[in-house]
Amino acid sequence: MFAVLVYDTLAERNPVVLKTCRRYLHWIQRSVFEGELSNAQYRSLTASLRTQIDTTYDSVRVYIVRTPEFIETHTLGVDLGNTGPVL
């Protein structure tokens, strides 16, 4: 599955959430990530994030698209992300 993940967390939690997201997805822009995930990777990512965020304050939103060919993206300004391999 192709996923787009965005998050809005308390500043103190940003580094740990960022690090977790970078293990699974490509960093695109500030708190935006995208990439291919297996079902197992998706479950592992969301389980990790649930332990790292405060569900009464923070927000993580994942958009699932069955194939990335159906997404048209346009960037205005600087293209910040990296679409190389996830390390």
Side-chain angles (χ1 to χ4, degrees), residues 31-50:
S31 59
V32 181
F33 294 82
E34 67 180 35
E36 289 287 339
L37 292 173
S38 68
N39 287 332
Q41 288 171 320
Y42 174 77
R43 287 190 302 271
S44 177
L45 170 61
T46 55
S48 293
L49 290 173
R50 277 191 192 98

Side-chain angles (χ1 to χ4, degrees), residues 10-79:
L10 190 66
E12 290 80 24
R13 285 188 281 276
N14 282 347
V16 70
V17 171
L18 173 70
K19 187 175 181 180
T20 298
C21 291
R22 282 187 168 176
R23 286 196 336 244
Y24 294 90
L25 298 165
H26 299 286
W27 174 74
I28 298 301
Q29 189 176 46
R30 306 283 190 260
S31 59
V32 181
F33 294 82
E34 67 180 35
E36 289 287 339
L37 292 173
S38 68
N39 287 332
Q41 288 171 320
Y42 174 77
R43 287 190 302 271
S44 177
L45 170 61
T46 55
S48 293
L49 290 173
R50 277 191 192 98
T51 66
Q52 297 167 355
I53 67 169
D54 176 352
T55 58
T56 64
Y57 180 83
D58 301 326
S59 176
V60 176
R61 189 165 186 105
V62 182
Y63 299 88
I64 302 297
V65 180
R66 296 300 168 207
T67 177
E69 289 80 31
F70 291 116
I71 299 176
E72 185 174 328
T73 60
H74 303 273
T75 302
L76 302 175
V78 178
D79 196 3

